[in-house]
Amino acid sequence: MKAKVKTNDVILQTVTNVVAFIIILFSLRLFFSGHYTPGGGFIGGLMTSAAIVLLLLAYDIKTVATILPVDYKIITAIGLLFSVATGAGALLFDVPFLTHAYDYFHLPLLGKTSLHTAVLFDTGVYLVVIGVTMTIIQTIGVSE
Amino acid sequence: MTNLLILPILIPLFTAIILMFISKYVKVQRGISAVSTLLTVAASLVLINTVHQHGIQTVNLGSWVAPFGITLVSDMLSALLVTTTSIITLVVLLYSFKSIGVERERFYYYPVVQFLLVGVNGAFTTGDIFNLFVFFEVMLMSSYVLLVLGGTKAQLREGIKYILVNVISSALFVITVAYLYSVVGTLNMADISRKIALVDQPGIVTAIAILFLLVFGLKGAIFPLYFWLPGSYYAPPTPVLALFGALLTKVGIYSILRTYTLFFYHDTGFTHEILGILAILTIILGCIGAIAYWDVKKIIIYNIIIAVGVILFGVSTMNPEALEGAIYYVVHDMIIKAALFLLVGVMIAITGTANLKKMGGLIKHYPWLGWTFLVAAFSLAGIPPLSGFIGKLLIVRGSFAAEAYVGAGVVLASSLLVLYSVIKIFLNGIWGTPKEYNGASKGDARYLWMTSLILVVLAVCFGLGAEAMRPLFSQAAEVLVNPDLYIDAVLKE
């Protein structure tokens, strides 16, 4: 086996530190703009996982696991629970499954805002996409 | 309650999610999945009762009115199939407790079984052709996982084959739905039927009908699209095999039954004749396979193919009596196939081999197992008081009425060969000289046998109580014969 050459990824790591945040912010923007403009839970989740994958490229799996100490399989399950529970919430009001509700609220800072239960459903999608993508990538990454 | 018919889908879905959180606690997982599947069975029984009392149940998801949203429709056919599916899953779960092994149980076995139940129940209940595709995928992805879970060499090899075939057939499904959508411009099944009736099924719709036959034939294993089934079903462990054998092909059959009675009933000369010919060839090929092998699993696997042929032949005649027989036979076949796979699994657990020539004399130490198997075998072949008889009788009578004599003859002749194939197992495996076995202990074998006994008892009751069940099946067949009932229930006009 060849002797391990000590590499120095200082440029990659420094850039990643800045860029990962920009990517995550952009993914959140995509996520929240899904109702009126292109975007939504799926693309938002994919882009958030892209930020984490960039971290994985710049550092190693162990470091990223200390930065984000989460089990992505649990994230997937939580996301599913969010989506299904949002749909099943309709059962409590005896209306058909997946019936959504919305209303306008006056929030401090934001002013008149419409809040819609579809966002909760989309949050579930967002979490499932992150959970599944990261589970796949990490599982492939650690298996020999 | 508006959402009753969604419960058989929602309960397993919730259970699967909850089980994902506790994958390491095997005993808790067993308890939760058994209790929730029991709830699913209860919900589906209530559903049968409601459909029987008040007619077809529909729910428009998200409160969007019929052709624009997804509608779930539960007529008697789907309610019966959902109930049968839930009961079989419950029994297979109980069987798995002592059979599947802790390693697999820790690795998300129970959540995946629940997801399979979601997919199958959803496919039986949906009233939207694209939603049917989605539930097909839910079911197929769970079956991919169940097929390869454990990672033995045979499972991986057959898993690749199975995934390849199903990915291709799913792509064909999407293409077919795209063609249909470009012709009729809707995805709601009742609305599709209405639009096809308006244009009186031109040639392009007949072509789409044949494409649907190809797609569902690949899922449901008809001749000549059954080639993947014997190998793929041979690989997984017994409880998974029982689930596959009892449920998966039946979803394909249900889809053919639904599309050929709801969509394409205007010009039956071409489509239904092809279906009939393929069904007869399926029976013949299945019979050849069933008598050729000396392997207990292979024999029962080929019996699945025979049953697929018999049911689809009943469908192809489009005769009310034969359709009723086909429905009866689907339910019977789901129960008895699961029972037979589980019983054969007990034999394999005891003897440690699937080869019939290495077995023998099980009746000496396991008389209960032997006689249960004999009852199940007679029931499969259709000996009069048992459950296989009525369905086949109705199919044969219906096809005589429709003057399809060749098919009726083949169905009758196939019963003999079915009987021969299972009696071969009985005579060589259970009769004969006893041998030394070092498989499962007697206590474990007794537990496995007792869970499979539930299904055999159910099959016997199903045969003896045929008269009491008859109104349910007549009601199910009525909707197939008269699709306007379905359309009116969904579109409410």
Side-chain angles (χ1 to χ4, degrees):
Chain A
M1 197 175 146
K2 224 166 46 176
K4 217 173 179 181
V5 186
K6 193 169 165 29
T7 54
N8 197 339
D9 294 335
V10 68
I11 296 178
L12 178 62
Q13 290 178 350
T14 318
V15 173
T16 300
N17 291 349
V18 180
V19 168
F21 279 104
I22 300 174
I23 298 177
I24 287 179
L25 279 178
F26 185 47
S27 75
L28 286 176
R29 189 194 136 55
L30 275 178
F31 170 71
F32 281 111
S33 65
H35 196 73
Y36 295 107
T37 53
F42 184 76
I43 185 71
L46 267 188
M47 196 159 271
T48 307
S49 357
I52 305 174
V53 171
L54 184 62
L55 284 177
L56 279 174
L57 286 176
Y59 299 93
D60 57 315
I61 286 185
K62 246 185 195 155
T63 321
V64 178
T66 23
I67 303 171
L68 293 167
V70 285
D71 182 352
Y72 289 103
K73 293 198 272 297
I74 298 294
I75 297 277
T76 313
I78 292 173
L80 278 172
L81 203 58
F82 250 88
S83 292
V84 179
T86 310
L91 265 66
L92 299 178
F93 303 98
D94 204 31
V95 286
F97 183 70
L98 276 179
T99 304
H100 287 285
Y102 72 96
D103 208 346
Y104 292 94
F105 294 94
H106 279 284
L107 300 177
L109 286 180
L110 294 171
K112 190 182 171 195
T113 319
S114 76
L115 294 182
H116 200 301
T117 50
V119 177
L120 290 176
F121 188 88
D122 233 19
T123 313
V125 176
Y126 178 79
L127 291 176
V128 169
V129 171
I130 294 178
V132 169
T133 318
M134 294 317 297
T135 308
I136 292 172
I137 288 172
Q138 282 196 338
T139 314
I140 296 174
V142 295
S143 67
E144 294 292 313
Chain B
M1 172 162 176
T2 16
N3 286 297
L4 173 65
L5 67 109
I6 215 170
L7 287 183
I9 307 170
L10 202 56
I11 296 173
L13 182 55
F14 255 119
T15 315
I17 297 168
I18 290 165
L19 291 178
M20 282 174 75
F21 286 104
I22 47 167
S23 60
K24 295 292 167 264
Y25 306 96
V26 171
K27 287 210 169 119
V28 187
Q29 283 203 74
R30 288 178 183 172
I32 291 180
S33 51
V35 169
S36 85
T37 315
L38 204 61
L39 283 178
T40 314
V41 172
S44 53
L45 286 173
V46 175
L47 178 62
I48 284 196
N49 189 33
T50 315
V51 174
H52 188 52
Q53 307 277 341
H54 307 289
I56 301 173
Q57 300 290 309
T58 63
V59 57
N60 295 321
L61 293 190
S63 306
W64 299 102
V65 282
F68 306 112
I70 293 172
T71 312
L72 296 187
V73 188
S74 215
D75 62 347
M76 188 46 91
L77 171 61
S78 59
L80 282 169
L81 292 176
V82 163
T83 311
T84 318
T85 304
S86 309
I87 292 174
I88 288 171
T89 312
L90 178 64
V91 174
V92 170
L93 272 177
L94 295 177
Y95 189 94
S96 315
F97 293 168
K98 285 224 170 156
S99 154
I100 197 80
V102 161
E103 276 308 306
R104 285 190 172 95
E105 286 176 302
R106 272 177 202 231
F107 224 87
Y108 299 97
Y109 173 74
Y110 293 113
V112 178
V113 170
Q114 296 294 327
F115 276 125
L116 186 78
L117 187 58
V118 172
V120 175
N121 278 351
F124 285 146
T125 315
T126 185
D128 182 287
I129 195 80
F130 198 77
N131 201 228
L132 178 69
F133 168 77
V134 174
F135 276 121
F136 258 103
E137 287 304 303
V138 172
M139 169 188 99
L140 287 172
M141 283 187 197
S142 324
S143 71
Y144 302 153
V145 179
L146 286 177
L147 181 57
V148 297
L149 190 62
T152 62
K153 205 170 161 189
Q155 279 179 300
L156 295 179
R157 187 187 59 229
E158 298 302 333
I160 287 178
K161 230 197 267 173
Y162 181 75
I163 291 172
L164 213 60
V165 167
N166 279 302
V167 165
I168 291 170
S169 79
S170 296
L172 197 57
F173 195 170
V174 175
I175 293 168
T176 311
V177 171
Y179 286 147
L180 187 63
Y181 186 69
S182 66
V183 173
V184 296
T186 177
L187 291 171
N188 181 298
M189 287 174 22
D191 204 30
I192 292 174
S193 174
R194 207 176 53 171
K195 296 270 162 65
I196 291 180
L198 283 180
V199 292
D200 203 27
Q201 197 168 342
I204 178 84
V205 177
T206 304
I208 292 169
I210 297 298
L211 274 175
F212 268 124
L213 185 61
L214 275 179
V215 170
F216 298 137
L218 261 171
K219 317 265 186 199
I222 65 174
F223 174 84
L225 308 167
Y226 71 95
F227 54 87
W228 54 272
L229 186 135
S232 297
Y233 279 21
Y234 194 79
T238 310
V240 177
L241 171 62
L243 276 181
F244 282 18
L247 307 181
L248 297 194
T249 52
K250 305 305 179 289
V251 182
I253 293 175
Y254 166 81
S255 308
I256 293 179
L257 192 58
R258 188 59 90 195
T259 49
Y260 272 57
T261 55
L262 186 62
F263 299 172
F264 311 115
Y265 60 93
H266 305 282
D267 180 18
T268 56
F270 186 65
T271 48
H272 289 58
E273 194 176 328
I274 284 198
L275 181 62
I277 294 171
L278 289 184
I280 292 172
L281 289 173
T282 311
I283 300 175
I284 295 173
L285 264 289
C287 286
I288 293 176
I291 53 179
Y293 283 96
W294 280 86
D295 185 301
V296 284
K297 270 157 92 179
K298 273 266 155 62
I299 292 174
I300 312 290
I301 286 171
Y302 275 99
N303 270 300
I304 301 177
I305 298 174
I306 302 175
V308 168
V310 170
I311 296 161
L312 288 182
F313 179 70
V315 178
S316 76
T317 60
M318 284 299 268
N319 174 292
E321 207 166 18
L323 281 175
E324 193 183 335
I327 297 169
Y328 195 92
Y329 205 79
V330 175
V331 177
H332 146 77
D333 191 63
M334 287 167 83
I335 298 174
I336 202 70
K337 283 287 142 59
L340 276 172
F341 277 122
L342 294 183
L343 284 172
V344 162
V346 182
M347 289 168 69
I348 294 173
I350 294 169
T351 60
T353 171
N355 189 339
L356 212 42
K357 289 181 173 158
K358 290 183 186 154
M359 292 184 188
L362 282 175
I363 197 97
K364 189 160 166 58
H365 294 293
Y366 307 91
W368 21 274
L369 175 64
W371 298 119
T372 321
F373 185 84
L374 188 67
V375 172
F378 280 168
S379 185
L380 177 74
I383 308 274
L386 298 165
S387 66
F389 174 67
I390 301 103
K392 231 173 229 173
L393 178 73
L394 287 172
I395 290 178
V396 169
R397 266 174 53 179
S399 28
F400 274 130
E403 295 179 348
Y405 299 112
V406 180
V410 171
V411 169
L412 286 175
S414 77
S415 301
L416 270 182
L417 295 176
V418 167
L419 185 63
Y420 169 75
S421 70
V422 278
I423 286 302
K424 188 163 87 179
I425 300 180
F426 185 76
L427 287 182
N428 292 287
I430 293 170
W431 252 194
T433 41
K435 292 175 186 164
E436 277 296 312
Y437 301 118
N438 40 12
S441 70
K442 210 160 181 173
D444 280 359
R446 191 182 286 269
Y447 173 85
L448 295 180
W449 163 74
M450 274 183 357
T451 48
S452 6
L453 184 67
I454 301 172
L455 285 178
V456 178
V457 169
L458 198 66
V460 171
C461 295
F462 193 57
L464 296 179
E467 195 62 43
M469 306 276 282
R470 187 76 191 268
L472 302 184
F473 288 93
S474 310
Q475 196 185 350
E478 205 186 333
V479 179
L480 297 186
V481 176
N482 188 0
D484 288 333
L485 292 175
Y486 186 97
I487 298 170
D488 290 343
V490 175
L491 299 175
K492 299 212 172 66
E493 280 170 7

